[in-house]
PDB file of all heavy atoms in Angstrom:
ATOM      1  N   VAL A  19      -1.822 -49.771 -77.002  1.00  0.00           N
ATOM      2  CA  VAL A  19      -1.954 -50.941 -76.098  1.00  0.00           C
ATOM      3  C   VAL A  19      -1.462 -52.195 -76.783  1.00  0.00           C
ATOM      4  O   VAL A  19      -0.756 -53.012 -76.272  1.00  0.00           O
ATOM      5  CB  VAL A  19      -3.342 -51.084 -75.582  1.00  0.00           C
ATOM      6  CG1 VAL A  19      -3.560 -52.417 -74.928  1.00  0.00           C
ATOM      7  CG2 VAL A  19      -3.806 -50.019 -74.680  1.00  0.00           C
ATOM      8  N   HIS A  20      -1.902 -52.354 -78.086  1.00  0.00           N
ATOM      9  CA  HIS A  20      -1.474 -53.483 -78.806  1.00  0.00           C
ATOM     10  C   HIS A  20      -0.015 -53.586 -79.024  1.00  0.00           C
ATOM     11  O   HIS A  20       0.629 -54.688 -78.914  1.00  0.00           O
ATOM     12  CB  HIS A  20      -2.123 -53.473 -80.279  1.00  0.00           C
ATOM     13  CG  HIS A  20      -1.868 -54.653 -81.109  1.00  0.00           C
ATOM     14  ND1 HIS A  20      -2.700 -55.789 -81.154  1.00  0.00           N
ATOM     15  CD2 HIS A  20      -0.817 -54.991 -81.948  1.00  0.00           C
ATOM     16  CE1 HIS A  20      -2.146 -56.661 -81.934  1.00  0.00           C
ATOM     17  NE2 HIS A  20      -1.075 -56.274 -82.498  1.00  0.00           N
ATOM     18  N   MET A  21       0.713 -52.495 -79.239  1.00  0.00           N
ATOM     19  CA  MET A  21       2.141 -52.452 -79.375  1.00  0.00           C
ATOM     20  C   MET A  21       2.890 -52.556 -78.074  1.00  0.00           C
ATOM     21  O   MET A  21       3.936 -53.074 -77.890  1.00  0.00           O
ATOM     22  CB  MET A  21       2.587 -51.153 -80.128  1.00  0.00           C
ATOM     23  CG  MET A  21       2.102 -51.029 -81.580  1.00  0.00           C
ATOM     24  SD  MET A  21       2.859 -52.257 -82.604  1.00  0.00           S
ATOM     25  CE  MET A  21       4.596 -51.688 -82.572  1.00  0.00           C
ATOM     26  N   SER A  22       2.225 -51.952 -76.954  1.00  0.00           N
ATOM     27  CA  SER A  22       2.901 -51.979 -75.727  1.00  0.00           C
ATOM     28  C   SER A  22       2.850 -53.253 -74.965  1.00  0.00           C
ATOM     29  O   SER A  22       3.768 -53.648 -74.237  1.00  0.00           O
ATOM     30  CB  SER A  22       2.117 -50.913 -74.846  1.00  0.00           C
ATOM     31  OG  SER A  22       2.371 -49.556 -75.333  1.00  0.00           O
ATOM     32  N   ILE A  23       1.697 -53.959 -75.049  1.00  0.00           N
ATOM     33  CA  ILE A  23       1.538 -55.168 -74.185  1.00  0.00           C
ATOM     34  C   ILE A  23       2.629 -56.153 -74.381  1.00  0.00           C
ATOM     35  O   ILE A  23       3.192 -56.723 -73.443  1.00  0.00           O
ATOM     36  CB  ILE A  23       0.138 -55.761 -74.386  1.00  0.00           C
ATOM     37  CG1 ILE A  23      -0.982 -54.855 -73.916  1.00  0.00           C
ATOM     38  CG2 ILE A  23      -0.007 -57.186 -73.723  1.00  0.00           C
ATOM     39  CD1 ILE A  23      -0.951 -54.583 -72.387  1.00  0.00           C
ATOM     40  N   PRO A  24       2.955 -56.541 -75.666  1.00  0.00           N
ATOM     41  CA  PRO A  24       4.120 -57.524 -75.832  1.00  0.00           C
ATOM     42  C   PRO A  24       5.374 -56.915 -75.230  1.00  0.00           C
ATOM     43  O   PRO A  24       6.234 -57.619 -74.712  1.00  0.00           O
ATOM     44  CB  PRO A  24       4.170 -57.644 -77.390  1.00  0.00           C
ATOM     45  CG  PRO A  24       2.825 -57.297 -77.815  1.00  0.00           C
ATOM     46  CD  PRO A  24       2.319 -56.177 -77.013  1.00  0.00           C
ATOM     47  N   ALA A  25       5.629 -55.556 -75.464  1.00  0.00           N
ATOM     48  CA  ALA A  25       6.818 -55.040 -74.946  1.00  0.00           C
ATOM     49  C   ALA A  25       6.827 -55.032 -73.422  1.00  0.00           C
ATOM     50  O   ALA A  25       7.817 -55.344 -72.748  1.00  0.00           O
ATOM     51  CB  ALA A  25       7.038 -53.596 -75.451  1.00  0.00           C
ATOM     52  N   ILE A  26       5.730 -54.705 -72.810  1.00  0.00           N
ATOM     53  CA  ILE A  26       5.627 -54.732 -71.352  1.00  0.00           C
ATOM     54  C   ILE A  26       5.839 -56.127 -70.777  1.00  0.00           C
ATOM     55  O   ILE A  26       6.627 -56.274 -69.881  1.00  0.00           O
ATOM     56  CB  ILE A  26       4.159 -54.297 -70.922  1.00  0.00           C
ATOM     57  CG1 ILE A  26       4.059 -52.750 -71.179  1.00  0.00           C
ATOM     58  CG2 ILE A  26       3.945 -54.476 -69.437  1.00  0.00           C
ATOM     59  CD1 ILE A  26       2.638 -52.179 -70.974  1.00  0.00           C
ATOM     60  N   ILE A  27       5.207 -57.089 -71.449  1.00  0.00           N
ATOM     61  CA  ILE A  27       5.381 -58.531 -71.006  1.00  0.00           C
ATOM     62  C   ILE A  27       6.827 -58.944 -71.092  1.00  0.00           C
ATOM     63  O   ILE A  27       7.397 -59.457 -70.219  1.00  0.00           O
ATOM     64  CB  ILE A  27       4.504 -59.425 -71.766  1.00  0.00           C
ATOM     65  CG1 ILE A  27       2.999 -59.207 -71.441  1.00  0.00           C
ATOM     66  CG2 ILE A  27       4.796 -60.845 -71.403  1.00  0.00           C
ATOM     67  CD1 ILE A  27       2.022 -59.916 -72.247  1.00  0.00           C
ATOM     68  N   GLY A  28       7.414 -58.677 -72.278  1.00  0.00           N
ATOM     69  CA  GLY A  28       8.788 -59.057 -72.526  1.00  0.00           C
ATOM     70  C   GLY A  28       9.766 -58.378 -71.513  1.00  0.00           C
ATOM     71  O   GLY A  28      10.632 -59.020 -70.923  1.00  0.00           O
ATOM     72  N   LEU A  29       9.604 -57.116 -71.353  1.00  0.00           N
ATOM     73  CA  LEU A  29      10.450 -56.357 -70.488  1.00  0.00           C
ATOM     74  C   LEU A  29      10.250 -56.747 -69.003  1.00  0.00           C
ATOM     75  O   LEU A  29      11.193 -56.867 -68.215  1.00  0.00           O
ATOM     76  CB  LEU A  29      10.299 -54.800 -70.683  1.00  0.00           C
ATOM     77  CG  LEU A  29      10.991 -54.310 -71.972  1.00  0.00           C
ATOM     78  CD1 LEU A  29      10.493 -52.845 -72.221  1.00  0.00           C
ATOM     79  CD2 LEU A  29      12.458 -54.343 -71.913  1.00  0.00           C
ATOM     80  N   MET A  30       9.043 -56.871 -68.612  1.00  0.00           N
ATOM     81  CA  MET A  30       8.757 -57.253 -67.234  1.00  0.00           C
ATOM     82  C   MET A  30       9.219 -58.685 -66.903  1.00  0.00           C
ATOM     83  O   MET A  30       9.655 -58.920 -65.789  1.00  0.00           O
ATOM     84  CB  MET A  30       7.272 -57.109 -66.942  1.00  0.00           C
ATOM     85  CG  MET A  30       6.810 -55.682 -66.742  1.00  0.00           C
ATOM     86  SD  MET A  30       5.158 -55.414 -66.145  1.00  0.00           S
ATOM     87  CE  MET A  30       5.393 -55.866 -64.435  1.00  0.00           C
ATOM     88  N   VAL A  31       9.132 -59.555 -67.897  1.00  0.00           N
ATOM     89  CA  VAL A  31       9.809 -60.841 -67.629  1.00  0.00           C
ATOM     90  C   VAL A  31      11.272 -60.686 -67.404  1.00  0.00           C
ATOM     91  O   VAL A  31      11.854 -61.375 -66.523  1.00  0.00           O
ATOM     92  CB  VAL A  31       9.480 -61.820 -68.845  1.00  0.00           C
ATOM     93  CG1 VAL A  31      10.356 -63.097 -68.765  1.00  0.00           C
ATOM     94  CG2 VAL A  31       7.996 -62.160 -68.983  1.00  0.00           C
ATOM     95  N   MET A  32      11.907 -59.834 -68.137  1.00  0.00           N
ATOM     96  CA  MET A  32      13.314 -59.523 -67.930  1.00  0.00           C
ATOM     97  C   MET A  32      13.579 -58.930 -66.502  1.00  0.00           C
ATOM     98  O   MET A  32      14.502 -59.291 -65.813  1.00  0.00           O
ATOM     99  CB  MET A  32      13.830 -58.552 -68.954  1.00  0.00           C
ATOM    100  CG  MET A  32      13.991 -59.122 -70.334  1.00  0.00           C
ATOM    101  SD  MET A  32      14.628 -57.946 -71.548  1.00  0.00           S
ATOM    102  CE  MET A  32      16.327 -57.643 -70.887  1.00  0.00           C
ATOM    103  N   GLY A  33      12.575 -58.074 -66.101  1.00  0.00           N
ATOM    104  CA  GLY A  33      12.722 -57.456 -64.770  1.00  0.00           C
ATOM    105  C   GLY A  33      12.487 -58.529 -63.636  1.00  0.00           C
ATOM    106  O   GLY A  33      13.241 -58.616 -62.672  1.00  0.00           O
ATOM    107  N   ILE A  34      11.587 -59.535 -63.907  1.00  0.00           N
ATOM    108  CA  ILE A  34      11.406 -60.568 -62.992  1.00  0.00           C
ATOM    109  C   ILE A  34      12.608 -61.462 -62.935  1.00  0.00           C
ATOM    110  O   ILE A  34      12.994 -62.029 -61.950  1.00  0.00           O
ATOM    111  CB  ILE A  34      10.102 -61.440 -63.353  1.00  0.00           C
ATOM    112  CG1 ILE A  34       8.861 -60.549 -63.206  1.00  0.00           C
ATOM    113  CG2 ILE A  34      10.058 -62.641 -62.593  1.00  0.00           C
ATOM    114  CD1 ILE A  34       7.590 -61.122 -63.786  1.00  0.00           C
ATOM    115  N   TYR A  35      13.233 -61.705 -64.183  1.00  0.00           N
ATOM    116  CA  TYR A  35      14.453 -62.516 -64.195  1.00  0.00           C
ATOM    117  C   TYR A  35      15.543 -61.813 -63.337  1.00  0.00           C
ATOM    118  O   TYR A  35      16.218 -62.509 -62.584  1.00  0.00           O
ATOM    119  CB  TYR A  35      14.986 -62.602 -65.652  1.00  0.00           C
ATOM    120  CG  TYR A  35      16.509 -62.531 -65.746  1.00  0.00           C
ATOM    121  CD1 TYR A  35      17.204 -63.522 -65.186  1.00  0.00           C
ATOM    122  CD2 TYR A  35      17.051 -61.412 -66.316  1.00  0.00           C
ATOM    123  CE1 TYR A  35      18.630 -63.363 -65.209  1.00  0.00           C
ATOM    124  CE2 TYR A  35      18.385 -61.227 -66.314  1.00  0.00           C
ATOM    125  CZ  TYR A  35      19.204 -62.230 -65.770  1.00  0.00           C
ATOM    126  OH  TYR A  35      20.522 -62.059 -65.783  1.00  0.00           O
TER     127      TYR A  35
END
Side-chain angles (χ1 to χ4, degrees):
V19 170
H20 184 92
M21 294 294 294
S22 296
I23 293 301
I26 291 171
I27 293 172
L29 285 168
M30 287 190 72
V31 169
M32 288 179 65
I34 293 168
Y35 141 68

